[in-house]
Amino acid sequence: VEVLISIAVSSIMMAALFTTYNLISRSYNQVIDRATISQSSRDFMGMLVKDIRMAGYKYFGDNIPGHQDHIPIAILKSQRFGNANGCCDELFIVYGDYNINEPNVNNRYERYVAHYFVQPSEIIDPRTEEPIETGALYKSLEKWNGATFSAAGCEPGQCYLEQLLTNYVEDFVVVPVDDIGNIINPAPDWNNAERAFDIKAIDILITLRSKEEFYKTRKERVISAIGNNSAGRQIQKNDKYFRDSV
């Protein structure tokens, strides 16, 4: 009887310890997921702000002929995933540079375009063996060759195409604002290039999803994007993942 009682008490203690461990482990993973989302967002924003501040920059004496593709900022709204009212915007930033190592002084001026965009993620869900239902943020950097932007004429390591910045992207929103605080709508692109020079500030929003399931129960959750138009722009998901916007 004493042995049976000892076994019963030990079993209860082990169950309590196992439950406590699971709770602590789950809380730790949730904190890590939140921290990862926050860190990824801050890293991306730092890179993006640096590029945006370069928009339209030219060195004094720049002799590259003007072209319609050289507008400082072009924004394509909600072009990805075939959803006209959802993810995700595309951002093109054009700026100049100067290559002091070029022997011909007249050829030292250069022009680049930084392209930020989201594509469906290529990460495979081990449970379904299908790509996860979220996006991945990429950046391309190309150089003007006199006729078009291309990575072909760059020095090794200078340009790149579709460099992965971060996964688990749910939305990427770019909202141009003029000098009196009004949203520029439609956003500047190559069809209304003159509006690009009206931009005074840009609001950026990126929404990321946790890597692992975060909540205990499945629930309908809605996240609204900044700069909503009359039709609205929202993320509506019914799952257990955590999402945060910066």
Side-chain angles (χ1 to χ4, degrees):
V1 173
E2 290 177 351
V3 171
L4 292 176
I5 293 174
S6 298
I7 293 174
V9 171
S10 298
S11 299
I12 293 172
M13 292 177 62
M14 291 297 294
L17 289 172
F18 183 73
T19 302
T20 302
Y21 170 79
N22 276 344
L23 289 173
I24 293 175
S25 177
R26 184 180 182 85
S27 298
Y28 174 79
N29 289 334
Q30 288 179 340
V31 170
I32 291 298
D33 278 344
R34 286 179 180 268
T36 300
I37 289 175
S38 178
Q39 184 64 50
S40 297
S41 301
R42 289 199 302 270
D43 291 344
F44 162 70
M45 287 297 183
M47 178 190 302
L48 185 57
V49 166
K50 181 180 178 181
D51 281 345
I52 289 177
R53 287 175 174 168
M54 290 289 291
Y57 176 78
K58 296 180 182 179
Y59 274 82
F60 181 78
D62 188 303
N63 59 2
I64 298 178
H67 193 277
Q68 63 179 4
D69 291 345
H70 293 180
I71 63 172
I73 291 178
I75 301 168
L76 301 182
K77 302 296 290 184
S78 305
Q79 298 292 311
R80 294 285 167 171
F81 304 145
N83 185 354
N85 191 35
C87 182
C88 293
D89 295 349
E90 291 186 63
L91 177 62
F92 297 81
I93 304 169
V94 175
Y95 58 89
D97 202 353
Y98 185 79
N99 184 6
I100 196 170
N101 296 319
E102 169 62 42
N104 188 338
V105 176
N106 293 325
N107 294 336
R108 289 182 177 179
Y109 298 100
E110 300 175 334
R111 190 85 77 249
Y112 293 90
V113 60
H115 178 201
Y116 290 87
F117 58 98
V118 177
Q119 291 185 353
S121 177
E122 297 180 356
I123 295 178
I124 303 299
D125 189 332
R127 294 170 297 183
T128 63
E129 296 185 353
E130 298 288 338
I132 58 176
E133 295 182 0
T134 186
L137 181 66
Y138 291 86
K139 177 186 177 182
S140 294
L141 183 65
E142 298 176 86
K143 180 180 177 181
W144 183 253
N145 61 15
T148 185
F149 285 105
S150 172
C154 297
E155 298 177 6
Q158 186 180 32
C159 300
Y160 45 84
L161 296 175
E162 297 190 3
Q163 177 175 305
L164 177 64
L165 299 181
T166 185
N167 270 295
Y168 304 101
V169 176
E170 296 284 85
D171 205 359
F172 174 50
V173 187
V174 183
V175 181
V177 180
D178 63 21
D179 58 353
I180 59 175
N182 293 328
I183 294 175
I184 301 175
N185 188 22
D189 59 21
W190 299 276
N191 295 322
N192 58 343
E194 69 282 354
R195 296 306 307 274
F197 300 93
D198 295 334
I199 297 175
K200 182 67 175 179
I202 290 184
D203 290 331
I204 303 290
L205 175 140
I206 183 171
T207 301
L208 300 181
R209 194 205 80 180
S210 61
K211 181 178 179 181
E212 305 293 341
E213 291 185 339
F214 188 87
Y215 300 103
K216 291 183 179 180
T217 58
R218 184 182 297 270
K219 179 182 178 182
E220 180 78 18
R221 297 178 176 89
V222 179
I223 297 179
S224 297
I226 58 174
N228 276 351
N229 55 28
S230 58
R233 178 164 169 179
Q234 297 177 329
I235 300 172
Q236 294 180 316
K237 299 288 185 178
N238 190 338
D239 55 30
K240 299 180 182 179
Y241 293 103
F242 170 73
R243 293 173 177 83
D244 192 23
S245 299
V246 174

